Amino acid sequence: MKTRLDMEEQMFKPEILEKVKEAGFVVFDDGDYNLNLIAVRNLENHPNQFDDKLYVCYKVHGLWREHIFQITTDPGKRYLENPKYRDGGGVAIAAHPQQARSAYKIDLHRGKYKALVQRGPGNVQYWRDKNFDNRADYGGEIYDNKIGLNIHRSSAKGSSLVGPHSAGCIVFSDAEEFGVFMRVCQLQVSKRNFKTFTLTILAE
């Protein structure tokens, strides 16, 4: 006999997946460990704060699971204001909304530790912040060449401020949360042999 809890578990589906569909993007719901990675940007745009969310949604034995992690989708203040980026037109900012299909693979971030690195066949669209103030600018010309907009952690012990940890990457505040995230990503590879990962970026 199924309990009410059993029935609620079978009925559960992460609400964020409806937002993905509403934006016109694909939800991966075919089989187990087919990961949906969804970054949601906070448009209040607080410089140097980890004020965005990364949702990881997937099925196990046909039932949905969801993790929600604290991240930033924006560069830290150091890079927003850094004049060394003038020749390149400003620091990169991952664009929203987008679905970067098969853009990532598990590899070493800067040769140091495993992360999701821009090694897949797909590209990540991004803007350039051209005014060098301390806030991320959303909009303008879209670029899509590979420049290493990876998904990684801040420091090995975690960090409460973005600071030097992001020059346009998707960055985790908490190192332990990042460890959980990477273990789930490894499961997609080991259980499904799906070696590339898609990132969807939405605005709150």
Side-chain angles (χ1 to χ4, degrees):
M1 176 186 236
K2 291 183 179 179
T3 66
R4 179 178 177 181
L5 186 61
D6 292 332
M7 294 175 67
E8 288 177 350
E9 185 180 41
Q10 289 184 6
M11 293 172 61
F12 170 73
K13 184 176 182 180
E15 293 182 7
I16 190 65
L17 298 179
E18 291 305 313
K19 300 294 184 183
V20 172
K21 287 183 177 179
E22 288 171 9
F25 300 131
V26 174
V27 169
F28 303 109
D29 56 7
D30 178 20
D32 292 348
Y33 296 103
N34 196 355
L35 269 55
N36 295 270
L37 310 182
I38 307 141
V40 179
R41 170 173 280 147
N42 179 358
L43 291 179
E44 291 185 6
N45 195 349
H46 300 293
N48 258 5
Q49 292 186 17
F50 290 96
D51 58 352
D52 304 321
K53 304 287 187 185
L54 181 69
Y55 294 77
V56 181
C57 307
Y58 57 99
K59 288 181 179 179
V60 178
H61 303 306
L63 301 179
W64 282 105
R65 292 189 181 181
E66 177 183 51
H67 305 276
I68 305 174
F69 301 110
Q70 202 73 30
I71 61 163
T72 183
T73 61
D74 299 326
K77 183 178 177 181
R78 172 187 293 190
Y79 296 104
L80 287 166
E81 298 177 332
N82 197 325
K84 83 171 188 177
Y85 285 97
R86 289 189 188 278
D87 290 342
V91 70
I93 299 173
H96 67 260
Q98 70 166 302
Q99 188 169 64
R101 296 288 294 269
S102 300
Y104 295 94
K105 288 184 175 181
I106 296 175
D107 206 336
L108 295 181
H109 174 64
R110 295 186 174 179
K112 296 178 180 178
Y113 60 89
K114 286 185 177 180
L116 288 196
V117 179
Q118 218 184 334
R119 298 270 195 268
N123 286 337
V124 181
Q125 295 181 335
Y126 63 95
W127 300 300
R128 290 282 186 184
D129 190 304
K130 299 179 184 294
N131 64 6
F132 301 96
D133 63 7
N134 65 3
R135 289 174 65 83
D137 293 331
Y138 307 136
E141 183 179 356
I142 291 283
Y143 304 84
D144 67 355
N145 56 311
K146 286 182 170 61
I147 58 170
L149 294 180
N150 300 335
I151 304 175
H152 62 90
R153 58 167 169 77
S154 56
S155 72
K157 295 183 179 179
S159 177
S160 59
L161 294 175
V162 177
H165 301 298
S166 176
C169 294
I170 307 299
V171 181
F172 279 66
S173 168
D174 188 278
E176 290 186 5
E177 286 194 353
F178 178 72
V180 173
F181 169 72
M182 288 306 299
R183 287 193 290 275
V184 174
C185 290
Q186 292 277 12
L187 285 170
Q188 176 180 285
V189 177
S190 63
K191 301 287 189 181
R192 297 295 299 265
N193 199 33
F194 291 174
K195 297 180 181 179
T196 62
F197 297 83
T198 293
L199 175 68
T200 303
I201 305 177
L202 305 175
E204 189 174 46

